[in-house]
Amino acid sequence: MTLELVNTLATCATFVVIAVTATAAIVQLRHMWAGNQIAAFNELRQAFESPNLAAAHKYIDTQLHRDLEDPAFRYAIAHRSARTGESHAAVKHLLNIGHFFETMGLLVKSNLVPSELVLATWSDVIVWCWKQLVPVTWIFRNRQDPVASENFEYIAVLAARWRQEHPSGTYPANMPRLPLEYPWADADFEYETSMQGAPISHGN
């Protein structure tokens, strides 16, 4: 074996070692990246299930529409000094929910969490919350910050598009479905029909 052949083989072996090392590093980085994405998603899920977010959802669902009819409340949204104890608590709910979806949008936009996973989990809630908070966003953008909630808007656009592309969900078309047995269907229909014709009680 000549010296030239030995040098050639040594060079090839070095290249192989470098290639294997680089491949292992790339695989390790991919695993770390995937682990970080899952960790970020889990943090979002935990935040979504927190008492603060639950209270904010309840407020938006039951009270926000009525509060927005009051010009004093709308003024208080834009002017912190005008907030009473009650309006401060209400605005806090709006800020909590807004910050959550703003953070979600930023994480998705930065590819720190998988968009498909986020949209499959929360698309309905994202679209619903955005619609409910449109008047609030208008106030913030016109009275405080012209780019307020831009990441919330970004994730809302993605969520609306995702819903259009998956009107029947993401269940695989070639996968059989399991039967749903519900013995109260007829009774529920009769009850619902009777309630539709019942007079509305306004209480005392």
Side-chain angles (χ1 to χ4, degrees):
M1 182 179 295
T2 66
L3 181 60
E4 182 179 354
L5 180 58
V6 170
N7 289 336
T8 301
L9 292 175
T11 301
C12 290
T14 301
F15 283 149
V16 169
V17 171
I18 293 175
V20 170
T21 302
T23 301
I26 291 172
V27 171
Q28 185 176 8
L29 286 174
R30 286 179 177 175
H31 284 305
M32 291 176 59
W33 179 256
N36 289 336
Q37 286 186 314
I38 296 301
F41 174 80
N42 284 334
E43 289 185 10
L44 281 177
R45 181 179 54 79
Q46 291 172 7
F48 182 77
E49 296 172 354
S50 69
N52 287 341
L53 264 292
H57 275 286
K58 182 178 180 180
Y59 168 74
I60 292 171
D61 190 29
T62 61
Q63 186 67 31
L64 176 60
H65 178 73
R66 284 176 288 181
D67 285 349
L68 285 172
E69 297 294 329
D70 182 0
F73 178 73
R74 299 194 299 271
Y75 184 82
I77 292 176
H79 302 86
R80 182 178 299 181
S81 60
R83 296 173 191 170
T84 64
E86 184 177 355
S87 62
H88 176 79
V91 173
K92 183 65 174 177
H93 287 317
L94 301 178
L95 293 175
N96 283 342
I97 204 76
H99 288 164
F100 172 77
F101 287 111
E102 183 74 2
T103 300
M104 177 187 287
L106 182 60
L107 290 173
V108 169
K109 189 166 66 175
S110 303
N111 294 320
L112 294 177
V113 292
S115 61
E116 189 69 15
L117 188 57
V118 167
L119 297 175
T121 304
W122 288 302
S123 61
D124 289 344
V125 176
I126 294 169
V127 172
W128 179 83
C129 283
W130 172 259
K131 289 180 179 178
Q132 302 308 309
L133 292 180
V134 162
V136 177
T137 303
W138 188 97
I139 293 172
F140 280 134
R141 287 186 179 180
N142 285 273
R143 299 292 184 265
Q144 294 184 1
D145 182 1
V147 296
S149 299
E150 65 172 7
N151 293 308
F152 187 1
E153 182 178 7
Y154 170 79
I155 196 66
V157 170
L158 292 184
R161 184 184 303 167
W162 191 91
R163 291 176 66 189
Q164 291 177 348
E165 294 173 352
H166 304 85
S168 301
T170 59
Y171 198 89
N174 60 346
M175 180 72 68
R177 305 301 296 258
L178 297 175
L180 298 178
E181 298 180 359
Y182 189 73
W184 305 282
D186 292 338
D188 286 357
F189 177 77
E190 293 178 2
Y191 180 78
E192 183 176 349
T193 302
S194 68
M195 292 300 295
Q196 290 174 352
I200 299 175
S201 174
H202 297 283
N204 295 326

